[in-house]
């Protein structure tokens, strides 16, 4: 599998890094098709490499696969960013590409690498343990909230008492009626005659034979359905021996991976010390001779000694560095009009890692390494480079002093005073410990425990007609599957890997907008669980009354962002994000001061850099009430979450009923149920299922299976999300920066050529 993935990757790299730079594409549709094809092919490689990394035991191979896997993830994110900029939409429909490549929608699903949770840093693990202990401690010692009696009118209280009293009287009457009926039966009973006994016997036989025949017919029907492949054989529902063996082998593989990694780490330390002792002196001597030779050559050429490169610029390593001819060609080449691929931060690394695979691992004979232990020679090659860098720093310091002495002695250069590099360190103030900061944030309710929800629990079907609708100039609504995929790309993959987050297009803030009940809060918790991120809650209602005053607000934000950086990855959640940017604050919310964070939070957002795995996620059910300019300035990505479509509703009803303990039989018409539940959100469905599929009802399923009619009455009591509300959200989204670009492109106002640079572009924009 690894060889197949590398072969596919090498073909892609050959296409993306040709010998001659490709000519710009002027047709936007053709250019997007090329991007979509690359995107789908990279996802296939990503799925293969993720599986390989989970299966391989060899510690050095795992490091190579991990580096390639991170590079592929980064390239997928770059292609996604480029597709968004070229198509002006967060959602892309690739059913035509899937058809051409003969793939299924499942093949397009973004895999969440398992190492996100299995291989966290030891320091981070200790911090996570500390946080869980604090959460448990605060949860145990926290005093329960006093039960407050709700205000109730006298009429309502009388009505409740009347209902309870009438129910009591009704139960008593029913009990008396039952006792009187039993007494009447006792008096009416007479000795049965011969005819009565025969008729009773025939009646019992009819009932019994009918019952047995129905049972046999049901068994035959089930056997026929199993034979036709339309139903699952019950014996396969129980874990078979093969599955149990696979689970045990997976557990043993994890143990082997940990053991081999520990041996590898020990060997790294021992080999490094050995190389430093044995080869360190020779490396230092060779470097000094090369640098002295460079001094002499420069003096012979220019007549004076050169300036030694600073440590920040790379030191003596800069002396021997040469530019790649390809880089020089790229600098000289003139820009042509048209659409080009943006420069990638990952392709060079992918090319280098692919070369390592081809040089070391592709044809390596490992017949003697059956146990897949580490190889010492490879460790020596890797560690030599590291030791050279360590020695180079020390040699550079010595050679700077030597160069200054040469200048004074030969050139009599009095101005060659060495710069004092040692900067005075400011006396650091005594800071609070991380544990005390975490404890305070937990007590204030700003740091919370994420719910145990995974991203695959956010269920939805694929959008099969997206491309067809767009070809007919109809903008399709995204499905829940599209939402899940976009969040995997924008939130989960960057937060899970430090390398990817530093080099991929930086996304600091995401806004999830949609009706109540579509699963926005669930997605927040799923992001935290998939990446092991901490959850901070800076919602306007949660921060109301906490840390009053400007100084208190500044301290709260400083504490939250400091802890978020120290315990990264972190997610900062802002529920009801529209409240922070209200056009007009409602009277009932003026005391809460929802616009409190409006000025200070965007300032803190600007301080987030590529090395900080911190993501701000806002959720909004009513974005129309907010000032759209301020909202879009805060959130670089706005994801519109719609009502579930028919396919998603079918999947949701099926899986949610099963999850609650219900049996989905032929008596339950899921198609009709999905049809009549148009406009209802997943939250509404969960609410209805919990009210119908109770413990008592699950026990009755053997004799009385669930039917669609049972769910209709509870659904009718809930107000759905009407078409007008969804249209209002779509119209609002059309006013966002990306929505405006999409409308311009659809109406033909957006030019296909690359925008003109300089003043002409500004003048063109003003028209």
């Amino acid at each position: 599998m690894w060889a197949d993935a590398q072969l596919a990757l090498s073909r892609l790299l050959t296409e993306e890094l040709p010998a001659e730079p490709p000519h710009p594409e002027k047709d936007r549709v053709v250019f997007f098709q090329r991007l979509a094809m690359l995107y789908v092919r990279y996802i296939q490689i990503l799925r293969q490499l993720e599986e390989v990394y989970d299966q391989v035991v060899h510690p050095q191979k795992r490091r190579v696969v991990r580096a390639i896997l991170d590079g592929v993830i980064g390239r997928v994110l770059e292609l996604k960013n480029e597709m968004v900029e070229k198509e002006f939409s967060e959602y892309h429909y690739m059913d035509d590409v899937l058809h051409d490549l003969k793939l299924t929608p499942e093949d397009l699903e973004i895999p969440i690498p398992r190492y996100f949770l299995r291989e966290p840093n030891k320091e981070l693990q200790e911090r996570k343990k500390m946080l869980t202990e604090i959460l448990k401690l605060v949860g145990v010692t926290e005093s329960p909230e006093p039960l407050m009696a709700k205000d109730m009118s006298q009429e309502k209280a009388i009505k409740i008492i009347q209902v309870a009293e009438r129910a009591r009287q009704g139960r008593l009457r029913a009990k008396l009626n039952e006792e009187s009926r039993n007494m009447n039966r006792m008096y009416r009973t007479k000795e049965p005659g011969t005819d009565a006994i025969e008729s009773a016997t025939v009646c019992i036989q009819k009932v019994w034979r009918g019952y047995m025949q129905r049972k046999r017919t049901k068994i035959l029907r089930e056997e026929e359905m199993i034979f036709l492949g339309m139903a699952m054989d019950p014996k396969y529902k129980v874990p078979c021996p093969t599955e149990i063996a696979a689970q045990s082998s997976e557990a043993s593989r994890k143990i082997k991976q940990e053991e081999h990694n520990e041996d590898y780490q020990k060997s790294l330390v021992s080999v490094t010390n050995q190389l430093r002792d044995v080869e360190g002196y020779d490396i230092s001597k060779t470097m000094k001779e090369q640098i002295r030779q460079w001094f002499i050559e420069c003096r012979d050429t220019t007549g004076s000694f050169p300036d030694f490169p600073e440590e920040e610029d790379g030191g003596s390593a800069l002396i021997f560095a040469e530019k790649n001819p390809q880089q020089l060609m790229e600098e000289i080449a003139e820009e042509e009009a048209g659409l080009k691929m943006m420069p990638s931060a990952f392709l060079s690394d992918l090319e280098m890692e692919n070369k390592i695979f081809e040089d070391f691992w592709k044809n390596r004979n490992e017949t003697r390494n059956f146990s897949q232990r580490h190889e010492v020679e490879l460790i020596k090659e890797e560690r030599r480079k590291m030791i050279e860098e360590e020695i180079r720093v020390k040699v550079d310091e010595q050679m700077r002093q030597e160069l200054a002495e040469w200048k004074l002695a030969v050139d009599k250069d009095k101005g060659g005073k060495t710069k004092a590099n040692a900067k005075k360190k400011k006396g650091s103030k005594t800071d609070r410990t991380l544990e005390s900061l975490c404890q305070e944030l937990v007590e204030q309710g700003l740091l919370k425990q994420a719910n145990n929800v995974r991203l695959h629990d956010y269920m939805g079907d694929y959008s099969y007609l997206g491309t067809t609708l767009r070809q007919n100039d109809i903008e399709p609504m995204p499905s829940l599957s599209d939402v899940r995929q976009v969040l995997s790309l924008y939130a989960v993959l960057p937060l899970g890997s430090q390398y990817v987050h530093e080099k991929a297009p930086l996304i600091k803030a995401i806004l999830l907008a949609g009706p109540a009940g579509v699963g926005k809060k669930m997605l927040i918790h799923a992001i935290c669980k998939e990446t092991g991120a901490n959850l901070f809650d800076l919602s306007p209602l949660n921060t109301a009354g906490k840390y009053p005053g400007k100084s208190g607000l500044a301290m709260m934000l400083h504490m939250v962002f400091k802890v978020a950086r120290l315990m990264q990855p972190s997610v900062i959640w802002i529920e009801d994000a529209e409240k922070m940017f209200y056009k007009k604050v409602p009277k009932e919310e003026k005391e809460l001061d929802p616009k409190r964070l409006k000025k200070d939070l965007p300032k803190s957002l600007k301080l987030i850099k590529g090395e900080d795995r911190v993501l701000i996620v806002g959720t909004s059910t009513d974005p129309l009430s907010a000032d759209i300019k301020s909202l879009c300035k805060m959130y670089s990505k706005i994801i519109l979450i719609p009502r579930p479509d028919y396919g998603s509703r079918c999947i949701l009803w099926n899986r949610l009923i099963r999850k609650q303990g219900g049996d989905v039989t032929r008596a339950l018409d899921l198609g009709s149920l999905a049809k009549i539940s148009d406009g209802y959100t997943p939250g509404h469905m969960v609410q209805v299922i919990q009210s119908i599929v109770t413990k008592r009802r699950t026990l009755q399923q053997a004799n009385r299976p669930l039917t669609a009619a049972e769910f209709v009455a509870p659904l009718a009591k809930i107000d759905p999300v009407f078409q007008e509300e969804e249209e209002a959200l779509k119209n609002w989204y059309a006013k966002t920066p990306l929505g405006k670009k999409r409308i311009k492109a659809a109406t033909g106002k957006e030019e296909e050529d690359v925008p003109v640079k300089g003043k002409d572009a500004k003048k063109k924009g003003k028209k």
Side-chain angles (χ1 to χ4, degrees), residues 227-415:
F227 176 74
L228 293 172
M230 297 178 70
M232 178 73 77
D233 196 337
K235 68 181 180 182
Y236 295 122
K237 293 179 182 178
V238 181
C240 60
T242 312
E243 289 180 357
I244 295 165
Q247 290 171 1
S248 63
S249 66
E250 184 181 359
S252 64
R253 186 173 66 248
K254 296 303 166 199
I255 293 165
K256 272 187 182 179
Q257 286 175 352
E258 290 174 5
E259 288 177 356
H260 289 192
N261 189 47
E262 285 177 8
D263 292 345
Y264 175 69
Q265 295 296 338
K266 290 176 183 176
S267 183
L268 278 178
V269 175
S270 61
V271 169
T272 305
N273 293 334
Q274 185 183 354
L275 285 173
R276 196 178 283 118
D277 296 339
V278 175
E279 300 180 12
Y281 176 75
D282 294 334
I283 293 170
S284 175
K285 187 178 178 182
T286 307
M287 281 184 185
K288 286 178 180 178
E289 288 175 358
Q290 288 175 349
I291 294 168
R292 286 193 188 103
Q293 184 65 31
W294 177 67
F295 291 164
I296 294 164
E297 286 175 3
C298 286
R299 177 165 174 77
D300 293 342
T301 307
T302 61
S304 62
F305 286 116
D307 293 328
F308 203 91
E310 294 294 331
E311 191 178 343
E312 292 81 11
D313 300 329
S316 60
L318 193 69
I319 298 167
F320 307 104
E322 293 182 1
K323 276 198 173 180
N324 192 359
Q326 188 178 352
Q327 292 174 353
L328 293 170
M329 288 296 292
E330 286 175 1
E331 289 176 7
I332 296 165
E334 294 181 1
E335 290 187 3
E336 296 180 42
L339 296 167
K340 295 181 182 179
M341 298 278 282
M342 289 190 289
S344 172
F346 295 94
L347 282 177
S348 57
D349 293 346
L350 279 173
E351 192 176 22
M352 185 179 69
E353 295 296 335
N354 189 53
K355 191 174 183 303
I356 290 170
F357 167 77
E358 289 180 353
D359 292 345
F360 289 103
W361 300 107
K362 188 175 181 181
N363 300 314
R364 197 173 189 85
N365 186 9
E366 291 190 294
T367 51
R368 295 183 180 179
N369 190 13
F370 183 75
S371 61
Q372 292 292 290
R373 295 280 180 179
H374 62 269
E375 299 187 25
V376 179
E377 289 302 318
L378 289 176
I379 294 175
K380 285 182 179 179
E381 289 177 13
E382 291 173 7
R383 288 287 138 175
R384 268 195 194 96
K385 295 176 183 177
M386 191 197 78
I387 290 167
E388 282 178 8
E389 290 301 320
E390 288 178 4
I391 294 171
R392 187 181 295 278
V393 174
K394 295 177 183 177
V395 168
D396 285 357
E397 290 177 5
Q398 295 172 8
M399 296 310 293
R400 278 193 191 93
Q401 293 176 1
E402 190 171 325
L403 179 61
E405 291 171 3
W406 283 21
K407 282 182 176 181
L408 288 170
V410 180
D411 293 341
K412 296 180 180 178
D413 186 5
K414 296 179 182 179

Side-chain angles (χ1 to χ4, degrees), residues 175-193:
K175 192 175 180 182
L176 289 169
N177 289 336
E178 190 178 356
E179 287 176 359
S180 64
R181 280 196 299 270
N182 290 336
M183 293 294 290
N184 290 334
R185 283 198 200 99
M186 287 173 64
Y187 290 124
R188 285 177 190 170
T189 52
K190 297 177 182 178
E191 291 184 5

Side-chain angles (χ1 to χ4, degrees), residues 648-666:
S648 297
R649 290 196 301 273
C650 283
I651 292 172
L652 283 165
W653 280 117
N654 189 355
R655 295 190 185 172
L656 289 173
I657 288 170
R658 291 180 188 276
K659 190 177 179 181
Q660 190 66 17
D663 293 332
V664 178
T665 59
R666 292 171 65 86

Side-chain angles (χ1 to χ4, degrees), residues 27-40:
D27 189 349
R28 190 177 289 274
V29 177
V30 174
F31 186 75
F32 181 79
Q33 280 297 110
R34 187 188 168 211
L35 283 176
M37 191 70 76
L38 286 172
Y39 174 77
V40 173

Side-chain angles (χ1 to χ4, degrees), residues 537-549:
D537 188 358
L538 285 181
S539 306
L541 293 177
N542 190 44
T543 56
K546 296 172 183 176
Y547 298 97

Side-chain angles (χ1 to χ4, degrees), residues 458 487 512-525 573 617-622 639 641:
Y458 190 77
L487 274 177
L512 306 180
V518 291
K520 299 184 290 294
K521 189 187 290 186
M522 177 185 176
L523 287 168
I524 301 286
H525 290 278
W573 174 34
V617 185
T619 57
S620 175
T621 54
D622 184 24
I639 298 170
I641 305 178

Side-chain angles (χ1 to χ4, degrees), residues 676-736:
I676 63 169
S677 59
D678 186 16
Y680 290 94
T681 63
H684 294 151
M685 295 179 191
V686 170
Q687 188 180 338
V688 169
I689 289 167
Q690 286 176 350
S691 66
I692 294 298
V693 188
T694 58
K695 288 184 179 179
R696 184 182 176 186
R697 186 66 185 85
T698 52
L699 295 172
Q700 297 171 353
Q701 287 182 112
N703 300 321
R704 188 164 63 90
L706 289 168
T707 59
E710 295 180 63
F711 298 91
V712 175
L715 269 177
K717 294 177 184 177
I718 302 171
D719 289 332
V721 178
F722 295 104
Q723 189 69 28
E724 293 79 10
E725 189 178 341
E726 193 169 81
E727 286 298 323
L729 278 171
K730 283 178 72 175
N731 294 334
W732 171 83
Y733 186 75
K735 296 174 185 176
T736 62

Side-chain angles (χ1 to χ4, degrees), residues 90-104:
E90 300 290 358
Y91 300 103
H92 312 291
Y93 304 99
M94 303 178 190
D95 26 299
D96 53 341
V97 178
L98 290 177
H99 183 266
D100 293 343
L101 295 175
K102 295 181 174 58
L103 299 172
T104 61

